[in-house]
Amino acid sequence: MPEGTKRRCWTVSDVSSVSDARDASDVLEELQWRGLVAQHTDIDALRAALAAGPVTFYCGFDPTAPSLHHGHLVAVKVMRHLQLAGHRPLALVGGATGLIGDPRAKGERPLNTKDVVAGWARGLQAQLERLLDFEGDNPARIVNNLDWTQEMSAIDFLRDLGKNFRMGTMLSKDIVARRLASDEGISFTEFSYQVLQANDYLELFRRHGCTLEIGGNDQWGNLVGGMDLIHKVEGASVHVMTNPLITKADGTKFGKTEGGAVWLDPRMLSPYAFYQFWLQVDDEDVVRFLKVFTFLGREEIERLEAATAANPKAREAQRVLAQEVTTWVHGARALAQAQAATAALWGRGDLGELDADTLRAATADLATTELVVGTSTIVDLLVGTGLEKGRNAARKTVAAGGAYINNAKVTDEDAPVSAEQVLAGGVVLVRKGRRNLAAARTA
Protein backbone atom coordinates (compact mmCIF):
# COMPACT_ATOMS: atom_id res chain seq x y z
CA MET A 1 0.00 0.00 0.00
CA PRO A 2 1.35 3.47 -0.83
CA GLU A 3 3.07 5.40 1.92
CA GLY A 4 0.68 7.67 3.79
CA THR A 5 -2.42 5.60 2.98
CA LYS A 6 -5.21 6.00 5.49
CA ARG A 7 -6.42 2.46 6.05
CA ARG A 8 -10.12 1.79 5.90
CA CYS A 9 -11.06 -0.43 8.86
CA TRP A 10 -13.90 -2.57 7.59
CA THR A 11 -15.99 -4.49 10.09
CA VAL A 12 -18.59 -7.22 9.86
CA SER A 13 -21.32 -4.56 9.78
CA ASP A 14 -19.88 -3.18 6.54
CA VAL A 15 -20.81 -6.31 4.66
CA SER A 16 -23.36 -8.07 6.87
CA SER A 17 -26.29 -6.82 4.81
CA VAL A 18 -24.77 -7.84 1.49
CA SER A 19 -26.66 -10.52 -0.40
CA ASP A 20 -25.76 -14.00 0.78
CA ALA A 21 -24.37 -14.84 -2.66
CA ARG A 22 -20.94 -13.28 -2.63
CA ASP A 23 -18.37 -15.90 -3.62
CA ALA A 24 -16.29 -15.64 -6.76
CA SER A 25 -18.58 -17.88 -8.81
CA ASP A 26 -21.70 -15.73 -8.53
CA VAL A 27 -20.44 -12.15 -8.24
CA LEU A 28 -21.23 -11.51 -11.90
CA GLU A 29 -24.84 -12.59 -11.34
CA GLU A 30 -24.98 -10.28 -8.32
CA LEU A 31 -23.70 -7.34 -10.36
CA GLN A 32 -26.22 -8.05 -13.11
CA TRP A 33 -29.10 -8.24 -10.61
CA ARG A 34 -28.07 -4.87 -9.25
CA GLY A 35 -28.02 -3.33 -12.71
CA LEU A 36 -24.29 -2.71 -12.54
CA VAL A 37 -23.35 -4.34 -15.84
CA ALA A 38 -23.87 -2.54 -19.16
CA GLN A 39 -21.45 -3.92 -21.79
CA HIS A 40 -18.87 -6.66 -21.57
CA THR A 41 -16.66 -8.89 -23.66
CA ASP A 42 -17.23 -12.67 -23.77
CA ILE A 43 -19.50 -13.11 -20.75
CA ASP A 44 -18.89 -16.85 -20.39
CA ALA A 45 -15.13 -16.40 -20.49
CA LEU A 46 -15.38 -13.58 -17.94
CA ARG A 47 -17.58 -15.68 -15.67
CA ALA A 48 -15.12 -18.56 -15.88
CA ALA A 49 -12.19 -16.28 -15.11
CA LEU A 50 -13.95 -14.83 -12.06
CA ALA A 51 -14.88 -18.32 -10.85
CA ALA A 52 -11.29 -19.53 -11.29
CA GLY A 53 -9.94 -16.31 -9.69
CA PRO A 54 -8.69 -14.35 -7.98
CA VAL A 55 -8.67 -11.83 -10.84
CA THR A 56 -6.67 -8.60 -10.68
CA PHE A 57 -8.78 -5.78 -12.11
CA TYR A 58 -8.59 -2.02 -12.38
CA CYS A 59 -10.66 1.10 -12.78
CA GLY A 60 -9.28 4.54 -13.62
CA PHE A 61 -10.17 7.90 -12.09
CA ASP A 62 -8.85 11.07 -13.71
CA PRO A 63 -8.16 14.15 -11.54
CA THR A 64 -10.05 16.61 -13.75
CA ALA A 65 -11.64 18.13 -10.61
CA PRO A 66 -10.65 18.36 -6.94
CA SER A 67 -13.05 15.58 -5.92
CA LEU A 68 -14.85 12.47 -7.03
CA HIS A 69 -18.62 12.83 -7.40
CA HIS A 70 -21.61 10.53 -6.92
CA GLY A 71 -21.27 9.10 -10.44
CA HIS A 72 -17.87 7.64 -9.54
CA LEU A 73 -19.53 5.71 -6.72
CA VAL A 74 -21.08 3.34 -9.28
CA ALA A 75 -17.69 2.11 -10.50
CA VAL A 76 -16.34 2.03 -6.94
CA LYS A 77 -19.32 -0.12 -5.93
CA VAL A 78 -18.48 -2.58 -8.71
CA MET A 79 -14.89 -2.63 -7.43
CA ARG A 80 -16.03 -3.30 -3.89
CA HIS A 81 -18.36 -6.13 -4.93
CA LEU A 82 -15.52 -7.75 -6.86
CA GLN A 83 -13.19 -7.24 -3.92
CA LEU A 84 -15.68 -8.86 -1.53
CA ALA A 85 -15.72 -11.85 -3.88
CA GLY A 86 -11.96 -12.23 -3.44
CA HIS A 87 -10.64 -10.34 -6.47
CA ARG A 88 -7.81 -7.82 -6.36
CA PRO A 89 -8.59 -4.14 -7.10
CA LEU A 90 -6.22 -1.61 -8.58
CA ALA A 91 -7.54 1.95 -8.30
CA LEU A 92 -5.72 3.98 -10.93
CA VAL A 93 -5.40 7.70 -10.35
CA GLY A 94 -4.68 9.35 -13.70
CA GLY A 95 -1.85 11.70 -12.85
CA ALA A 96 -0.87 11.60 -16.54
CA THR A 97 -4.24 11.28 -18.29
CA GLY A 98 -5.61 13.98 -15.99
CA LEU A 99 -3.13 16.36 -17.63
CA ILE A 100 -4.70 15.59 -21.02
CA GLY A 101 -8.41 15.08 -20.39
CA ASP A 102 -10.74 12.54 -21.93
CA PRO A 103 -12.60 14.04 -24.92
CA ARG A 104 -16.06 15.26 -24.00
CA ALA A 105 -19.04 16.20 -26.12
CA LYS A 106 -19.04 19.88 -25.12
CA GLY A 107 -15.62 20.79 -26.47
CA GLU A 108 -12.02 20.93 -25.35
CA ARG A 109 -11.23 20.63 -21.68
CA PRO A 110 -9.08 23.39 -20.17
CA LEU A 111 -5.54 22.19 -19.49
CA ASN A 112 -4.76 22.53 -15.79
CA THR A 113 -1.24 23.01 -14.52
CA LYS A 114 0.85 20.07 -13.38
CA ASP A 115 0.74 21.27 -9.78
CA VAL A 116 -3.06 21.55 -9.82
CA VAL A 117 -3.49 18.08 -11.32
CA ALA A 118 -1.01 16.59 -8.83
CA GLY A 119 -2.94 18.14 -5.95
CA TRP A 120 -6.24 16.85 -7.29
CA ALA A 121 -4.69 13.40 -7.77
CA ARG A 122 -3.71 13.32 -4.10
CA GLY A 123 -7.26 14.28 -3.16
CA LEU A 124 -8.80 11.52 -5.27
CA GLN A 125 -6.36 9.00 -3.83
CA ALA A 126 -7.37 9.95 -0.29
CA GLN A 127 -11.05 9.50 -1.18
CA LEU A 128 -10.49 6.11 -2.81
CA GLU A 129 -8.53 4.98 0.24
CA ARG A 130 -11.65 5.54 2.35
CA LEU A 131 -14.01 3.78 -0.07
CA LEU A 132 -12.08 0.56 -0.68
CA ASP A 133 -10.48 -1.96 1.69
CA PHE A 134 -6.69 -1.79 1.90
CA GLU A 135 -6.35 -4.70 4.34
CA GLY A 136 -7.00 -8.44 4.27
CA ASP A 137 -5.99 -11.11 1.78
CA ASN A 138 -6.87 -9.06 -1.32
CA PRO A 139 -6.17 -5.44 -0.38
CA ALA A 140 -6.82 -2.65 -2.84
CA ARG A 141 -3.83 -0.84 -4.27
CA ILE A 142 -3.48 2.70 -5.64
CA VAL A 143 -1.50 3.15 -8.86
CA ASN A 144 -0.75 6.34 -10.78
CA ASN A 145 -0.22 6.27 -14.54
CA LEU A 146 2.19 9.20 -14.28
CA ASP A 147 4.74 6.67 -12.97
CA TRP A 148 5.13 5.05 -16.38
CA THR A 149 3.82 7.70 -18.77
CA GLN A 150 6.24 10.45 -17.77
CA GLU A 151 9.17 8.18 -18.60
CA MET A 152 8.00 7.78 -22.21
CA SER A 153 9.54 9.96 -24.91
CA ALA A 154 7.61 11.23 -27.92
CA ILE A 155 9.51 8.74 -30.09
CA ASP A 156 8.60 5.89 -27.72
CA PHE A 157 4.97 6.98 -27.82
CA LEU A 158 4.88 6.96 -31.62
CA ARG A 159 6.98 3.83 -32.24
CA ASP A 160 6.00 1.54 -29.38
CA LEU A 161 2.36 2.53 -28.98
CA GLY A 162 1.19 4.49 -32.02
CA LYS A 163 2.04 1.75 -34.50
CA ASN A 164 -0.55 -0.53 -32.86
CA PHE A 165 -3.47 1.82 -33.51
CA ARG A 166 -5.35 2.28 -36.77
CA MET A 167 -6.71 5.70 -37.62
CA GLY A 168 -9.99 4.32 -38.94
CA THR A 169 -10.76 2.68 -35.60
CA MET A 170 -9.76 5.75 -33.60
CA LEU A 171 -11.81 8.10 -35.79
CA SER A 172 -14.90 5.90 -35.62
CA LYS A 173 -15.26 6.17 -31.85
CA ASP A 174 -18.50 7.91 -31.05
CA ILE A 175 -17.18 10.86 -29.06
CA VAL A 176 -14.35 11.47 -31.55
CA ALA A 177 -16.74 11.34 -34.50
CA ARG A 178 -19.09 13.81 -32.82
CA ARG A 179 -16.28 16.20 -32.01
CA LEU A 180 -14.93 16.01 -35.56
CA ALA A 181 -18.39 16.90 -36.86
CA SER A 182 -18.65 19.89 -34.51
CA ASP A 183 -17.49 23.42 -35.26
CA GLU A 184 -14.73 23.17 -32.67
CA GLY A 185 -13.32 19.83 -33.80
CA ILE A 186 -10.84 17.96 -31.61
CA SER A 187 -7.18 18.59 -30.83
CA PHE A 188 -4.45 15.98 -31.22
CA THR A 189 -4.01 16.21 -27.45
CA GLU A 190 -7.48 14.91 -26.65
CA PHE A 191 -7.45 12.59 -29.67
CA SER A 192 -4.37 10.85 -28.24
CA TYR A 193 -6.06 10.20 -24.89
CA GLN A 194 -7.35 6.81 -26.02
CA VAL A 195 -3.80 5.65 -26.72
CA LEU A 196 -2.63 6.63 -23.23
CA GLN A 197 -5.54 4.85 -21.55
CA ALA A 198 -4.95 1.72 -23.61
CA ASN A 199 -1.32 1.78 -22.53
CA ASP A 200 -2.42 1.90 -18.89
CA TYR A 201 -4.11 -1.48 -19.28
CA LEU A 202 -1.00 -2.89 -20.98
CA GLU A 203 1.26 -1.60 -18.19
CA LEU A 204 -1.00 -2.99 -15.46
CA PHE A 205 -1.18 -6.33 -17.28
CA ARG A 206 2.61 -6.45 -17.33
CA ARG A 207 3.24 -5.11 -13.84
CA HIS A 208 0.40 -6.69 -11.86
CA GLY A 209 -1.14 -9.39 -14.03
CA CYS A 210 -4.30 -7.29 -14.45
CA THR A 211 -6.81 -9.04 -16.77
CA LEU A 212 -10.03 -7.04 -16.26
CA GLU A 213 -10.71 -3.34 -16.74
CA ILE A 214 -14.00 -1.81 -15.60
CA GLY A 215 -15.42 1.69 -16.04
CA GLY A 216 -18.40 3.77 -17.04
CA ASN A 217 -20.27 2.86 -20.18
CA ASP A 218 -19.04 6.04 -21.90
CA GLN A 219 -15.54 4.53 -21.65
CA TRP A 220 -16.34 1.40 -23.66
CA GLY A 221 -14.25 2.40 -26.68
CA ASN A 222 -11.24 3.24 -24.53
CA LEU A 223 -11.54 -0.03 -22.59
CA VAL A 224 -11.71 -2.09 -25.77
CA GLY A 225 -8.68 -0.19 -27.09
CA GLY A 226 -6.64 -1.40 -24.13
CA MET A 227 -7.85 -4.95 -24.55
CA ASP A 228 -6.92 -4.93 -28.24
CA LEU A 229 -3.49 -3.47 -27.47
CA ILE A 230 -2.70 -6.28 -25.01
CA HIS A 231 -3.80 -8.85 -27.56
CA LYS A 232 -1.59 -7.31 -30.29
CA VAL A 233 1.50 -6.79 -28.11
CA GLU A 234 1.34 -9.72 -25.70
CA GLY A 235 -0.94 -12.16 -27.54
CA ALA A 236 -3.09 -12.48 -24.42
CA SER A 237 -6.85 -12.39 -23.98
CA VAL A 238 -8.19 -10.08 -21.29
CA HIS A 239 -11.60 -8.72 -20.34
CA VAL A 240 -13.46 -5.43 -20.10
CA MET A 241 -16.81 -4.60 -18.52
CA THR A 242 -18.72 -1.34 -18.11
CA ASN A 243 -21.31 -0.14 -15.65
CA PRO A 244 -24.29 1.92 -16.84
CA LEU A 245 -24.41 5.68 -16.50
CA ILE A 246 -27.18 6.18 -13.96
CA THR A 247 -30.24 8.13 -15.04
CA LYS A 248 -33.58 8.81 -13.42
CA ALA A 249 -36.74 6.93 -14.34
CA ASP A 250 -37.69 9.67 -16.82
CA GLY A 251 -34.38 9.24 -18.64
CA THR A 252 -32.83 12.51 -17.44
CA LYS A 253 -29.39 12.77 -15.90
CA PHE A 254 -29.11 11.81 -12.24
CA GLY A 255 -26.92 14.12 -10.23
CA LYS A 256 -27.15 17.84 -9.40
CA THR A 257 -27.97 19.67 -6.21
CA GLU A 258 -29.00 23.28 -5.78
CA GLY A 259 -25.31 24.15 -5.54
CA GLY A 260 -24.07 21.98 -8.40
CA ALA A 261 -22.48 18.53 -8.57
CA VAL A 262 -22.85 15.91 -5.83
CA TRP A 263 -19.22 16.01 -4.71
CA LEU A 264 -17.79 13.53 -2.20
CA ASP A 265 -15.44 16.11 -0.66
CA PRO A 266 -17.21 17.55 2.42
CA ARG A 267 -15.56 20.92 1.74
CA MET A 268 -17.33 21.10 -1.63
CA LEU A 269 -20.66 19.61 -0.54
CA SER A 270 -21.50 19.25 3.13
CA PRO A 271 -22.45 15.82 4.51
CA TYR A 272 -25.83 17.35 5.39
CA ALA A 273 -26.47 18.41 1.76
CA PHE A 274 -25.15 15.04 0.57
CA TYR A 275 -27.60 13.25 2.89
CA GLN A 276 -30.47 15.44 1.74
CA PHE A 277 -29.70 14.68 -1.91
CA TRP A 278 -30.29 10.97 -1.38
CA LEU A 279 -33.26 11.63 0.87
CA GLN A 280 -35.04 13.44 -1.99
CA VAL A 281 -34.81 10.56 -4.51
CA ASP A 282 -38.12 9.85 -6.27
CA ASP A 283 -40.16 6.76 -5.44
CA GLU A 284 -39.72 5.57 -9.02
CA ASP A 285 -35.94 5.53 -8.64
CA VAL A 286 -35.29 4.56 -5.04
CA VAL A 287 -35.34 0.76 -5.34
CA ARG A 288 -32.99 0.82 -8.34
CA PHE A 289 -30.64 3.15 -6.48
CA LEU A 290 -30.70 0.89 -3.42
CA LYS A 291 -29.40 -1.88 -5.67
CA VAL A 292 -26.74 0.30 -7.26
CA PHE A 293 -25.46 2.41 -4.39
CA THR A 294 -25.81 0.17 -1.31
CA PHE A 295 -24.75 -3.30 -0.21
CA LEU A 296 -28.17 -4.19 1.15
CA GLY A 297 -29.22 -7.74 0.33
CA ARG A 298 -32.07 -8.79 -1.92
CA GLU A 299 -34.46 -9.60 0.90
CA GLU A 300 -34.06 -6.18 2.52
CA ILE A 301 -34.36 -4.33 -0.79
CA GLU A 302 -37.50 -6.28 -1.65
CA ARG A 303 -38.92 -5.39 1.77
CA LEU A 304 -38.21 -1.71 1.17
CA GLU A 305 -39.77 -1.95 -2.29
CA ALA A 306 -42.95 -3.35 -0.75
CA ALA A 307 -42.91 -0.67 1.96
CA THR A 308 -42.63 2.07 -0.68
CA ALA A 309 -45.56 0.64 -2.61
CA ALA A 310 -47.70 0.30 0.53
CA ASN A 311 -46.85 3.62 2.18
CA PRO A 312 -44.84 5.95 -0.10
CA LYS A 313 -45.35 8.94 2.20
CA ALA A 314 -43.24 7.28 4.91
CA ARG A 315 -40.22 7.37 2.53
CA GLU A 316 -38.54 4.55 4.42
CA ALA A 317 -36.55 3.44 1.39
CA GLN A 318 -35.20 6.96 0.86
CA ARG A 319 -34.13 7.20 4.49
CA VAL A 320 -32.29 3.89 4.28
CA LEU A 321 -30.64 4.90 0.98
CA ALA A 322 -29.48 8.20 2.46
CA GLN A 323 -28.18 6.49 5.59
CA GLU A 324 -26.25 3.81 3.72
CA VAL A 325 -24.57 6.06 1.15
CA THR A 326 -23.77 8.86 3.62
CA THR A 327 -22.21 6.42 6.08
CA TRP A 328 -20.08 4.85 3.34
CA VAL A 329 -18.80 8.17 2.02
CA HIS A 330 -18.65 10.36 5.14
CA GLY A 331 -18.84 8.00 8.11
CA ALA A 332 -21.26 7.33 10.93
CA ARG A 333 -20.54 10.58 12.78
CA ALA A 334 -21.36 12.73 9.75
CA LEU A 335 -24.55 10.74 9.23
CA ALA A 336 -25.58 11.34 12.83
CA GLN A 337 -25.00 15.07 12.44
CA ALA A 338 -26.99 15.20 9.20
CA GLN A 339 -29.87 13.30 10.79
CA ALA A 340 -29.77 15.51 13.87
CA ALA A 341 -29.87 18.64 11.73
CA THR A 342 -32.76 17.28 9.68
CA ALA A 343 -34.75 16.50 12.83
CA ALA A 344 -33.86 19.75 14.58
CA LEU A 345 -34.91 21.92 11.65
CA TRP A 346 -38.42 20.54 11.95
CA GLY A 347 -38.72 20.68 15.73
CA ARG A 348 -37.74 17.11 16.57
CA GLY A 349 -34.31 17.83 18.00
CA ASP A 350 -32.11 20.37 19.76
CA LEU A 351 -30.80 23.04 17.41
CA GLY A 352 -28.31 24.07 20.08
CA GLU A 353 -26.43 20.78 19.67
CA LEU A 354 -25.59 21.42 16.01
CA ASP A 355 -22.16 22.78 15.06
CA ALA A 356 -21.68 25.84 12.86
CA ASP A 357 -20.79 23.89 9.69
CA THR A 358 -23.84 21.65 9.95
CA LEU A 359 -26.15 24.59 10.65
CA ARG A 360 -24.67 26.58 7.80
CA ALA A 361 -25.26 23.69 5.42
CA ALA A 362 -28.74 22.98 6.76
CA THR A 363 -29.86 26.57 6.22
CA ALA A 364 -27.90 27.28 3.04
CA ASP A 365 -30.93 27.07 0.75
CA LEU A 366 -33.35 28.94 3.02
CA ALA A 367 -34.43 32.54 2.52
CA THR A 368 -32.37 34.74 4.84
CA THR A 369 -32.29 38.18 6.36
CA GLU A 370 -29.83 40.11 8.48
CA LEU A 371 -30.16 39.80 12.24
CA VAL A 372 -29.26 42.59 14.66
CA VAL A 373 -29.05 41.06 18.12
CA GLY A 374 -30.96 43.07 20.69
CA THR A 375 -32.87 44.98 18.00
CA SER A 376 -34.49 42.63 15.47
CA THR A 377 -37.90 41.23 16.46
CA ILE A 378 -39.87 38.27 15.17
CA VAL A 379 -41.91 40.70 13.04
CA ASP A 380 -38.69 42.02 11.46
CA LEU A 381 -37.53 38.48 10.73
CA LEU A 382 -40.81 37.26 9.26
CA VAL A 383 -40.95 40.23 6.90
CA GLY A 384 -37.21 40.28 6.15
CA THR A 385 -37.13 36.62 5.15
CA GLY A 386 -40.26 36.92 3.05
CA LEU A 387 -42.30 34.54 5.20
CA GLU A 388 -44.81 37.39 5.52
CA LYS A 389 -45.48 40.19 3.04
CA GLY A 390 -45.97 42.95 5.60
CA ARG A 391 -45.73 43.82 9.27
CA ASN A 392 -49.48 43.62 9.87
CA ALA A 393 -49.57 40.10 8.47
CA ALA A 394 -46.54 39.18 10.59
CA ARG A 395 -48.23 40.46 13.75
CA LYS A 396 -51.34 38.42 12.97
CA THR A 397 -49.19 35.29 12.58
CA VAL A 398 -47.57 35.93 15.97
CA ALA A 399 -50.96 36.54 17.60
CA ALA A 400 -52.31 33.31 16.11
CA GLY A 401 -49.40 31.30 17.59
CA GLY A 402 -47.80 30.53 14.23
CA ALA A 403 -44.40 32.19 14.63
CA TYR A 404 -41.29 30.41 15.93
CA ILE A 405 -37.66 31.19 16.64
CA ASN A 406 -35.44 28.11 16.87
CA ASN A 407 -38.62 26.00 17.02
CA ALA A 408 -39.84 27.84 20.13
CA LYS A 409 -43.17 29.66 19.78
CA VAL A 410 -42.95 33.46 20.01
CA THR A 411 -45.85 35.31 21.67
CA ASP A 412 -44.35 38.77 22.14
CA GLU A 413 -44.12 40.54 18.78
CA ASP A 414 -41.93 43.31 20.20
CA ALA A 415 -39.33 41.18 21.99
CA PRO A 416 -35.88 41.57 20.39
CA VAL A 417 -33.80 38.50 19.61
CA SER A 418 -31.28 37.97 22.41
CA ALA A 419 -27.71 36.73 22.20
CA GLU A 420 -28.81 33.52 23.93
CA GLN A 421 -31.08 32.73 21.00
CA VAL A 422 -28.30 32.91 18.40
CA LEU A 423 -27.12 29.46 17.36
CA ALA A 424 -23.65 28.36 16.28
CA GLY A 425 -22.35 30.31 13.29
CA GLY A 426 -24.57 33.32 14.06
CA VAL A 427 -27.80 31.70 12.82
CA VAL A 428 -31.37 31.96 14.05
CA LEU A 429 -34.04 29.70 12.58
CA VAL A 430 -37.34 31.40 11.74
CA ARG A 431 -40.50 29.42 11.11
CA LYS A 432 -44.05 30.27 10.13
CA GLY A 433 -46.53 27.50 10.82
CA ARG A 434 -45.34 23.93 10.46
CA ARG A 435 -43.41 23.92 7.20
CA ASN A 436 -42.30 27.44 6.22
CA LEU A 437 -38.64 27.88 7.20
CA ALA A 438 -36.17 30.71 6.84
CA ALA A 439 -33.02 31.88 8.60
CA ALA A 440 -31.60 35.09 10.00
CA ARG A 441 -27.86 35.64 10.27
CA THR A 442 -25.81 38.08 12.24
CA ALA A 443 -23.77 40.53 10.17
Side-chain angles (χ1 to χ4, degrees):
M1 185 171 64
E3 184 178 353
T5 294
K6 181 180 179 181
R7 292 180 180 269
R8 172 68 160 98
C9 298
W10 292 87
T11 65
V12 174
S13 63
D14 289 310
V15 296
S16 61
S17 59
V18 181
S19 296
D20 293 337
R22 189 41 51 88
D23 56 53
S25 64
D26 59 19
V27 66
L28 189 57
E29 178 187 349
E30 177 76 9
L31 292 172
Q32 290 174 316
W33 174 77
R34 290 181 177 274
L36 287 170
V37 178
Q39 298 186 77
H40 49 74
T41 45
D42 188 330
I43 194 68
D44 293 329
L46 176 57
R47 182 178 286 107
L50 292 170
V55 168
T56 298
F57 66 96
Y58 98 94
C59 184
F61 304 87
D62 274 348
T64 53
S67 170
L68 299 174
H69 56 69
H70 75 293
H72 294 111
L73 288 178
V74 183
V76 179
K77 276 291 183 184
V78 175
M79 296 182 74
R80 185 67 181 127
H81 280 292
L82 288 168
Q83 185 178 29
L84 285 169
H87 304 291
R88 298 167 179 156
L90 300 172
L92 183 144
V93 176
T97 44
L99 289 166
I100 301 301
D102 194 8
R104 57 182 182 178
K106 296 181 180 179
E108 290 284 319
R109 293 180 183 272
L111 294 180
N112 297 296
T113 68
K114 292 182 178 180
D115 287 344
V116 166
V117 172
W120 288 355
R122 289 191 295 271
L124 266 58
Q125 176 174 335
Q127 290 178 331
L128 290 165
E129 287 164 356
R130 292 192 295 270
L131 297 172
L132 294 168
D133 187 2
F134 286 81
E135 299 180 345
D137 295 331
N138 59 325
R141 180 171 182 171
I142 300 287
V143 293
N144 190 325
N145 58 19
L146 188 64
D147 292 343
W148 54 82
T149 306
Q150 67 181 348
E151 298 172 354
M152 187 187 307
S153 70
I155 296 298
D156 293 337
F157 176 81
L158 294 172
R159 283 178 55 87
D160 298 338
L161 288 180
K163 67 180 180 180
N164 296 295
F165 291 82
R166 294 294 172 263
M167 289 296 296
T169 303
M170 297 176 71
L171 291 168
S172 67
K173 290 187 176 179
D174 180 61
I175 189 65
V176 173
R178 279 189 283 162
R179 285 285 297 279
L180 284 171
S182 69
D183 292 336
E184 187 173 2
I186 186 170
S187 69
F188 177 76
T189 299
E190 288 196 1
F191 181 68
S192 66
Y193 181 95
Q194 54 190 300
V195 179
L196 294 177
Q197 182 169 332
N199 185 54
D200 290 342
Y201 199 175
L202 176 61
E203 286 290 339
L204 294 177
F205 173 82
R206 289 170 168 170
R207 294 170 183 237
H208 302 287
C210 179
T211 56
L212 171 62
E213 181 181 3
I214 65 172
N217 203 34
D218 58 342
Q219 292 293 306
W220 173 256
N222 289 337
L223 270 62
V224 170
M227 179 187 72
D228 290 343
L229 179 62
I230 292 172
H231 184 71
K232 289 178 181 178
V233 175
E234 299 291 344
S237 296
V238 294
H239 309 279
V240 299
M241 181 174 70
T242 63
N243 54 259
L245 304 180
I246 304 302
T247 59
K248 296 189 289 188
D250 61 7
T252 59
K253 188 175 180 180
F254 172 63
K256 293 285 182 183
T257 65
E258 294 282 343
V262 187
W263 300 110
L264 307 192
D265 188 331
R267 296 167 298 183
M268 299 174 68
L269 184 71
S270 71
Y272 171 83
F274 185 85
Y275 174 78
Q276 290 294 323
F277 169 79
W278 298 100
L279 204 60
Q280 301 305 317
V281 165
D282 290 340
D283 291 342
E284 293 181 40
D285 296 312
V286 67
V287 173
R288 184 161 51 94
F289 292 171
L290 283 167
K291 292 179 181 180
V292 170
F293 292 103
T294 80
F295 291 112
L296 295 175
R298 300 191 189 199
E299 183 177 340
E300 176 63 5
I301 291 176
E302 288 170 357
R303 185 193 71 78
L304 290 167
E305 183 176 17
T308 298
N311 186 13
K313 291 183 179 179
R315 300 185 69 78
E316 181 183 1
Q318 282 86 347
R319 291 201 308 274
V320 172
L321 175 65
Q323 291 167 10
E324 293 287 319
V325 184
T326 304
T327 301
W328 184 41
V329 173
H330 293 296
R333 184 173 180 273
L335 170 67
Q337 291 175 331
Q339 290 175 320
T342 302
L345 251 63
W346 300 103
R348 299 188 302 276
D350 185 357
L351 287 164
E353 293 182 356
L354 304 181
D355 60 58
D357 289 340
T358 301
L359 263 172
R360 191 178 299 111
T363 59
D365 296 327
L366 299 179
T368 61
T369 189
E370 184 177 335
L371 168 67
V372 180
V373 176
T375 300
S376 299
T377 66
I378 184 61
V379 172
D380 296 325
L381 301 186
L382 288 170
V383 175
T385 58
L387 291 180
E388 287 293 3
K389 293 183 179 180
R391 300 183 70 83
N392 286 337
R395 292 188 184 97
K396 289 179 181 178
T397 296
V398 175
Y404 300 80
I405 288 181
N406 298 339
N407 294 325
K409 185 179 294 186
V410 179
T411 56
D412 184 353
E413 65 181 51
D414 296 320
V417 176
S418 67
E420 290 73 22
Q421 291 175 295
V422 179
L423 303 170
V427 175
V428 165
L429 190 68
V430 186
R431 180 155 57 91
K432 172 192 172 184
R434 295 183 60 186
R435 303 196 62 82
N436 299 301
L437 283 177
R441 305 181 192 277
T442 55

